[in-house]
Amino acid sequence: MESLVEGDLVNLLRARGIAITDTSTRLKGQRADGGNYEFDILAHNGEELVVVEVKTTLRPKDVKAFLRKLDQFKQ
């Protein structure tokens, strides 16, 4: 599903004034505190970073979980 979104994502962000130069999909790793992370798509240009969560069905609990994930990412 990520690959379907990724194709149009760059054009969508550029149309909104964010000059994306590269994307990464399905980025997984381990945080410094021992926890794990996974991001569906990261779009970046060296100065700005857009984190994208891909869902076929979006529910309020998914949004809340993504916001918690973003807080962890910022740290």
Side-chain angles (χ1 to χ4, degrees):
M1 199 54 145
E2 288 86 359
S3 60
L4 294 174
V5 172
E6 184 183 20
D8 286 333
L9 178 65
V10 172
N11 292 332
L12 180 90
L13 294 172
R14 285 182 179 160
R16 285 166 175 70
I18 303 171
I20 297 301
T21 57
D22 195 16
T23 59
S24 304
T25 57
R26 310 271 314 168
L27 182 67
K28 297 179 184 183
Q30 192 169 27
R31 297 189 318 254
D33 66 3
N36 296 320
Y37 65 83
E38 178 182 339
F39 297 105
D40 293 337
I41 303 174
L42 294 178
H44 46 91
N45 63 14
E47 293 181 22
E48 298 171 297
L49 176 69
V50 178
V51 181
V52 179
E53 178 76 16
V54 178
K55 296 285 184 197
T56 54
T57 303
L58 185 62
R59 297 180 180 97
K61 69 176 186 171
D62 297 323
V63 174
K64 291 175 185 173
F66 182 67
L67 291 174
R68 283 191 301 275
K69 197 173 174 181
L70 281 179
D71 283 340
Q72 294 173 347
F73 179 71
K74 291 175 187 177
Q75 295 173 7

